[in-house]
Amino acid sequence: MNMNLTKRPRLALCGIVAVACLTASVALGASRSQQATELTVWDWGSPSPASMKELDTAFMKLNPGITIKRVHQPFNSYFTLLRTATATRKGPDIVENYASPAVFDYARALLPLTSYRTAAQKKDLVGWNLVSSSLSASGTPYAMPWGGQGIVMYYNKRLFKKAGLDPNKPPKTWKQFLAACEALKNAGIVPIAEGWKDGYGAEWWIDTLSSQYMSPSELATVGTKQNWRSPAVRKSLELLVDLSDKGYFTPDAEGIPLFPDTLNNFGAEKGAMAIGLAANCCNYQEFRKAKVGKNLGVMEPPLVPGGKWATQKLNYGPGLSWAITRWAKDPAAAYKFLTFLGTPAAQKMAFKSSTVFPNNVKTRAVTSDPIGAKILAWVATKPTYLGIMTLMRAPTEATLDKLVPQIMTKKVSIEDALKQIQATADKQPKIPTK
Amino acid sequence: MLEALYVLPIVIVVGVALLLPVASVVAHSFTDWQPGYGSPWVGDRNYAELLQSDQFHQILFNQAFLLLGIPIWTILPLVIASLLHERVPVPGVFRTIFFFPATISPVVIGILFTFILAPTGPVNASLRAIGLGGLTHNWLVDERLGKPVIIGVLAWATLGTGVVIFAAALSGIAPELFEAATLEGANWWQRLRYITVPSIRSVIELWIVILLVTLFVGVFPWIYSLTRGGPGYSSTTIDFDIYQNALTFGYFGLAAAEAVVLLVIVALVVGGGALVGRARRSMA
Amino acid sequence: MVMTLPFIYPFVFLVATALKPLPEFNQDSVGLPAHATLENLSAAWNEASLGPAIVHSLIAVGIAVVLNVALSSVAAFWFVRHRGRLATSLRWTLIATMAVPAPVFIVPLFVQLSVWGLTDSLVTLGVVFAAWNVSFGLYLMYTFIDALPYELTEAAEVDGANSFQLLRKVLLPLSMPAMATLAVLTFVWSWSDLLISIVLVQDPSRRLVTPATALLADQYSTDIPKNAAGVLIAILPMLAVFLFGQRFLVRGILAGVGK
């Protein structure tokens, strides 16, 4: 189950309460709000159960006739359970998912939300296109996008200073980046805390690096036409292997997973830089609690040599989604929950309790943490994009993750690996067109 | 015959819980299986895809490689049980220590060893500490080491059960046999070979059967928690691949075909072993 | 004996890690804890609801053990007395179900159980565990009963005992060691199962202990000492069962299988 868990762990609360009312004809009589309705919600434990409970409680206060029964399934089994639920058409009413085409792996189980979505929601919530048919904002939505997530790089100001680098001027171009790495290495500091074992680290790099090589049209269709053998992807991997050859990553990174070791290592100051996420996971809030704490800095991933962008863009998009299952007995009630999660008030709560970035344009997250504030400013001002990795399907991700350690140790050629990944991607059922 | 009541419950339970699902799997292996929904017939497409895939060939090779572990997993507990039997006054304590790993869930063992075998983990740290830093490896990520490591971890995990089983069997051997042999000047190894092994042959065979079956249908939790079948497919076993195809990727039809192939392989292996065993017994 | 070191060490390591406070662990993951603390244990206990989980496991596994021993022994008895071609084929079929891996039967089984409304039930889980282990149980009990000296049953039959009395008064008492062995093995194997437990019992209020531990050590968790603590707690019941059942285990294997 190596789903794009990290596809930018935008474990942002995608409160999508999709109420699948397939059995509505029978339930119609019973679904009058007079009767107490119980909604079973599945999530994989991120955002934290505590923050979800807060939201549940708030919702239940506003809707006395509805009870939320939240079930935290282990992440590693989450999607297996979703498959079995799909097969039996029983189980949860509302399920957490990613805001990406990965949702379509379960399209059979998810209720289209067209008739529930209001015009206001369509306008105010960012990210409908990623969970709708044909990946178009006007397509049929299978889930409600929730929260935002993006890829950024963190660095350790104290270690930068120690290596003679300006802690307030992190590298921007590839040349500067290499120079910084070299300086850190010479100072006996691991330049980049990294781990390839579970593949997620590479995923984030691939997205931020390969997108810079893509033409606008390629980047625009990177969700519907996944071309893993594109030179852009190949070049991004070549850059990574080059960094590895130069010894800039944690030694033996191929044996270290990203979760939790790499993150812990960066937190414990065993690496000067690390690629991470913006919101609710592997982000500044977590690092603040670690040893790196007040020395934390955030930077944009470097511009690649020969890339198409003059200035860096921000990899950012909706993080999570909430969907209603087709067998839910009371889809209307379930959608009420989704609606609640999408409101500015709820999103403010979610940000406060677990830094889920809001995706409702009507609200802004405010934080006193300078790093958080900086990232939020980027979200508000920078042009954003989403790369091939963010928009991949689950089996593709599984294949990619498996191959990453072998690519980094050169046991498999980049060309070969991309061929295998493309083969898996080709096998996936197409994204629904309606 | 009322006596049939003795066997009826077991037949019902196994029939419903296992045989019916297996029948369903066999039938669905010829379809594009979508559990709970219509599954269109595709004939032998799943089998063709399976048998032609390079990954499947790698997987078959992996399984064959793991068979090499059987001598290790058998001889080690046998030797230790023998030593305990003859040399140690309070074998119970040791048996408990050895058996401890067998009580731990494979998932837990996997988590534990992922940690112990990590590049910065205790194994490498100890090697460095005693000056053998050159021997440190990326144990779980090096393709050449994936399978040997699994054999090692399984040895750790199954040793205890083996020791307990063999130790019990050994206590059934009349001590006079050993005494007589010692008097005639037999050393420990000779005693093992000429007295111990023949005396508990059927137990050893039972143990090997357990190992064989585990190897084909029970390694899944270990693979899952140690290497996830990686790197690449170098440590993927058939049952892990079935799990992956069905539950991670949703390729249920393919997984069904693979399951049928697995059943055939197991039948051949165990059946073959049984035939060999019977042949040897009739010659003895 | 030097040989025991590799076996003790992981346990020591587990305990050490479980007792280490997280910050200390991040700096030194290998050594003994300098400031041992019990807070990981209590955190794991509470977070994963390990108390109730242990109870659930005991129920499901208890059912599995009782069912397996009962079904296997009684059926083995029948098979020893019926050796015809049909019976032998049936026996081999039942034993052959050992070869069915969990990922294979779990999907259709789950779908069917769901149709019957039997999911999320500890009792159903216990029955499925039993079904899964009964192949080995039958093999073990059959081998054992088959090896019992015929004189024992002969004497009873001469005295006019019918099959039920034979079973109850002669064979079952004699088979105690083997049954105890089977009980212990079934307990250990069912307790540590993950896949079946997780698919058949999805309701968190009925969760068993191994899935609960898996939850703790899940992808996103970075608190390794807490995971270690959870693991430690999950192991203890099994260790207890083993220590207690050890004597039977030895006698059981000794008495029956090694002939």
Side-chain angles (χ1 to χ4, degrees):
Chain A
M1 329 275 221
N2 300 311
M3 269 266 313
N4 344 1
L5 165 252
T6 20
K7 229 187 312 213
R8 311 201 314 163
R10 321 101 173 212
L11 302 173
L13 289 175
C14 278
I16 286 193
V17 180
V19 178
C21 234
L22 262 192
T23 54
S25 44
V26 176
L28 258 180
S31 70
R32 307 273 4 199
S33 43
Q34 268 82 3
Q35 299 201 255
T37 318
E38 189 185 74
L39 296 172
T40 304
V41 181
W42 275 14
D43 68 50
W44 58 71
S46 188
S48 69
S51 59
M52 292 313 300
K53 188 148 174 236
E54 212 185 14
L55 289 162
D56 294 344
T57 318
F59 172 75
M60 290 194 280
K61 252 220 204 110
L62 295 169
N63 295 273
I66 309 180
T67 328
I68 300 285
K69 182 173 167 202
R70 186 165 285 274
V71 176
H72 166 196
Q73 301 287 12
F75 180 80
N76 284 324
S77 325
Y78 187 85
F79 295 99
T80 298
L81 293 172
L82 203 47
R83 278 200 202 282
T84 55
T86 307
T88 56
R89 276 171 275 225
K90 279 202 200 150
D93 301 297
I94 298 167
V95 292
E96 181 184 18
N97 214 315
Y98 292 112
S100 82
V103 153
F104 300 119
D105 288 346
Y106 307 96
R108 213 188 278 267
L110 305 179
L111 184 73
L113 301 176
T114 347
S115 53
Y116 295 92
R117 181 176 60 179
T118 66
Q121 284 172 328
K122 191 162 171 212
K123 201 164 49 97
D124 294 343
L125 292 172
V126 175
W128 287 104
N129 59 321
L130 292 182
V131 292
S132 304
S133 61
S134 309
L135 289 190
S136 146
S138 52
T140 313
Y142 282 88
M144 182 172 102
W146 197 65
Q149 188 55 282
I151 304 177
V152 297
M153 273 189 77
Y154 294 97
Y155 68 100
N156 187 321
K157 289 189 176 165
R158 184 179 74 84
L159 294 179
F160 261 40
K161 235 191 328 201
K162 197 160 161 218
L165 299 165
D166 185 343
N168 295 316
K169 279 228 178 84
K172 278 192 165 2
T173 68
W174 199 256
K175 217 159 100 175
Q176 294 169 345
F177 183 63
L178 289 178
C181 289
E182 192 62 34
L184 288 160
K185 188 164 164 222
N186 290 336
I189 303 171
V190 170
I192 310 170
E194 194 54 80
W196 304 120
K197 186 167 177 212
D198 49 6
Y200 299 118
E203 287 186 19
W204 299 342
W205 280 108
I206 289 176
D207 234 29
T208 48
L209 298 181
S210 69
S211 307
Q212 299 184 44
Y213 285 117
M214 292 184 188
S215 67
S217 63
E218 188 182 354
L219 195 54
T221 54
V222 87
T224 44
K225 290 214 249 307
Q226 295 238 307
N227 182 9
W228 288 88
R229 303 183 68 180
S230 143
V233 180
R234 198 192 68 232
K235 279 195 250 192
S236 67
L237 285 171
E238 284 169 0
L239 286 176
L240 282 184
V241 172
D242 183 55
L243 288 175
S244 177
D245 287 342
K246 293 187 160 66
Y248 293 153
F249 291 119
T250 311
D252 298 318
E254 64 274 7
I256 304 176
L258 186 91
F259 290 101
D261 302 45
T262 305
L263 301 171
N264 282 348
N265 284 342
F266 177 73
E269 297 199 301
K270 290 189 195 163
M273 297 184 270
I275 191 165
L277 298 179
N280 73 273
C281 164
C282 329
N283 70 341
Y284 64 93
Q285 198 192 35
E286 288 177 15
F287 292 134
R288 284 295 195 201
K289 300 192 201 137
K291 191 157 171 238
V292 68
K294 50 184 171 44
N295 296 320
L296 189 66
V298 67
M299 60 188 252
E300 301 166 296
L303 288 165
V304 298
K308 293 195 175 358
W309 302 346
T311 53
Q312 188 58 279
K313 302 194 200 183
L314 181 67
N315 179 303
Y316 189 79
L320 297 172
S321 68
W322 295 93
I324 302 179
T325 55
R326 290 187 198 236
W327 55 83
K329 291 202 191 49
D330 194 343
Y335 197 74
K336 275 206 182 117
F337 186 59
L338 262 61
T339 303
F340 167 73
L341 290 174
T343 58
Q347 301 214 337
K348 267 210 177 64
M349 274 173 75
F351 179 74
K352 195 144 167 260
S353 59
S354 51
T355 54
V356 174
F357 282 18
N359 70 323
N360 185 324
V361 300
K362 288 223 159 78
T363 179
R364 278 188 346 124
V366 173
T367 173
S368 53
D369 184 318
I371 302 286
K374 192 163 176 193
I375 299 178
L376 286 165
W378 284 348
V379 172
T381 56
K382 279 187 169 297
T384 62
Y385 70 95
L386 288 174
I388 192 172
M389 179 282 298
T390 314
L391 297 172
M392 66 185 166
R393 307 288 287 273
T396 316
E397 179 182 21
T399 310
L400 169 65
D401 288 344
K402 259 188 198 296
L403 289 166
V404 163
Q406 294 184 298
I407 296 173
M408 297 313 296
T409 51
K410 309 225 186 113
K411 295 275 168 52
V412 160
S413 74
I414 294 179
E415 196 48 54
D416 245 340
L418 292 177
K419 208 158 79 172
Q420 287 184 46
I421 299 171
Q422 188 63 46
T424 309
D426 289 337
K427 256 176 96 162
Q428 301 314 305
K430 301 265 168 275
I431 295 176
T433 47
K434 50 177 164 61
Chain B
M1 272 248 283
L2 218 62
E3 269 197 27
L5 280 180
Y6 292 145
V7 81
L8 212 54
I10 206 177
V11 170
I12 294 178
V13 166
V14 172
V16 170
L18 293 179
L19 293 175
L20 281 183
V22 168
S24 171
V25 167
V26 171
H28 282 112
S29 65
F30 297 103
T31 69
D32 175 14
W33 193 12
Q34 306 290 334
Y37 303 86
S39 307
W41 186 265
V42 297
D44 62 3
R45 191 184 73 187
N46 293 325
Y47 289 97
E49 191 183 329
L50 188 67
L51 296 171
Q52 284 162 7
S53 95
D54 286 328
Q55 274 113 17
F56 192 64
H57 299 150
Q58 171 75 42
I59 292 169
L60 289 175
F61 173 76
N62 295 342
Q63 293 275 187
F65 189 96
L66 288 178
L67 283 174
L68 293 178
I70 291 191
I72 300 173
W73 301 325
T74 308
I75 294 177
L76 217 52
L78 190 57
V79 164
I80 291 182
S82 300
L83 288 173
L84 285 180
H85 183 67
E86 299 199 32
R87 307 281 185 86
V88 177
V90 191
V93 172
F94 288 99
R95 273 206 302 267
T96 311
I97 296 176
F98 285 127
F99 192 72
F100 163 67
T103 59
I104 315 179
S105 152
V107 168
V108 166
I109 293 182
I111 297 174
L112 196 56
F113 272 87
T114 305
F115 203 74
I116 293 181
L117 294 172
T120 49
V123 167
N124 281 349
S126 329
L127 284 173
R128 285 189 205 109
I130 59 176
L132 287 175
L135 284 181
T136 61
H137 280 101
N138 221 327
W139 300 99
L140 291 171
V141 190
D142 190 332
E143 282 143 357
R144 295 161 303 166
L145 296 177
K147 294 186 277 284
V149 163
I150 290 173
I151 291 183
V153 173
L154 280 176
W156 185 85
T158 60
L159 186 97
T161 317
V163 166
V164 164
I165 289 182
F166 289 139
L170 283 173
S171 344
I173 304 180
E176 301 84 59
L177 287 173
F178 286 112
E179 283 162 14
T182 319
L183 283 175
E184 292 191 32
N187 65 20
W188 172 81
W189 172 250
Q190 287 167 322
R191 287 201 296 273
L192 182 69
R193 236 189 104 192
Y194 295 112
I195 300 181
T196 311
V197 172
S199 308
I200 59 172
R201 160 169 298 156
S202 62
V203 179
I204 298 181
E205 282 171 359
L206 170 67
W207 178 243
I208 293 183
V209 167
I210 295 177
L211 287 176
L212 271 177
V213 173
T214 308
L215 206 55
F216 280 101
V217 305
V219 271
F220 158 72
W222 273 292
I223 307 286
Y224 178 80
S225 38
L226 277 173
T227 61
R228 290 288 160 90
Y233 278 85
S234 63
S235 66
T236 305
T237 54
I238 304 182
D239 63 350
F240 182 79
D241 198 44
I242 292 174
Y243 163 82
Q244 194 165 245
N245 280 334
L247 295 171
T248 306
F249 295 150
Y251 303 151
F252 289 102
L254 188 65
E258 201 166 4
V260 172
V261 171
L262 176 61
L263 287 174
V264 169
I265 292 179
V266 172
L268 287 175
V269 167
V270 175
L275 284 174
V276 168
R278 196 177 308 169
R280 269 213 329 220
R281 243 183 299 243
S282 57
M283 284 195 298
Chain C
M1 294 242 296
V2 168
M3 294 242 226
T4 60
L5 271 180
F7 291 85
I8 303 186
Y9 177 70
F11 187 57
V12 169
F13 182 68
L14 183 66
V15 174
T17 307
L19 295 177
K20 234 184 244 180
L22 183 59
E24 184 187 335
F25 178 81
N26 279 334
Q27 293 302 68
D28 167 28
S29 57
V30 180
L32 288 174
H35 306 109
T37 168
L38 290 176
E39 62 185 25
N40 293 323
L41 287 166
S42 64
W45 180 272
N46 291 325
E47 218 179 278
S49 303
L50 289 180
I54 291 182
V55 171
H56 300 145
S57 283
L58 283 173
I59 295 175
V61 174
I63 292 175
V65 166
V66 167
L67 214 54
N68 190 5
V69 172
L71 255 47
S72 300
S73 310
V74 167
F77 174 67
W78 188 86
F79 279 113
V80 166
R81 289 159 66 84
H82 293 85
R83 311 275 188 137
R85 284 261 291 274
L86 209 59
T88 306
S89 311
L90 182 61
R91 175 162 55 90
W92 279 114
T93 308
L94 290 173
I95 294 182
T97 59
M98 235 191 276
V100 179
V104 167
F105 70 82
I106 198 65
V107 174
L109 181 62
F110 178 66
V111 174
Q112 190 58 56
L113 287 176
S114 173
V115 167
W116 291 335
L118 288 176
T119 51
D120 276 336
S121 150
L122 293 176
V123 172
T124 311
L125 184 62
V127 173
V128 173
F129 278 153
W132 190 40
N133 284 301
V134 114
S135 53
F136 177 75
L138 183 58
Y139 182 78
L140 186 68
M141 295 312 298
Y142 178 80
T143 313
F144 179 82
I145 294 181
D146 199 28
L148 289 176
Y150 188 54
E151 304 85 58
L152 294 168
T153 52
E154 213 172 28
E157 273 177 336
V158 160
D159 283 346
N162 64 20
S163 64
F164 183 64
Q165 287 167 322
L166 190 61
L167 182 66
R168 229 188 99 204
K169 298 212 149 77
V170 179
L171 281 164
L172 286 186
L174 280 175
S175 315
M176 282 299 199
M179 295 199 298
T181 306
L182 184 59
V184 171
L185 288 174
T186 307
F187 186 95
V188 170
W189 288 337
S190 305
W191 187 274
S192 45
D193 164 79
L194 183 63
L195 184 64
I196 302 178
S197 318
I198 246 174
V199 173
L200 292 186
V201 177
Q202 295 174 6
D203 184 345
S205 64
R206 296 214 174 86
R207 199 168 270 148
L208 278 74
V209 112
T210 307
T213 318
L215 200 77
L216 261 188
D218 202 20
Q219 191 84 21
Y220 285 116
S221 65
T222 54
D223 192 342
I224 294 186
K226 190 167 62 171
N227 298 348
V231 163
L232 191 56
I233 297 174
I235 290 177
L236 292 176
M238 287 202 289
L239 199 57
V241 165
F242 172 66
L243 285 175
F244 174 73
Q246 216 218 114
R247 308 171 281 145
F248 300 114
L249 205 62
V250 173
R251 255 197 279 145
I253 298 171
L254 160 70
V257 194
K259 285 299 181 333

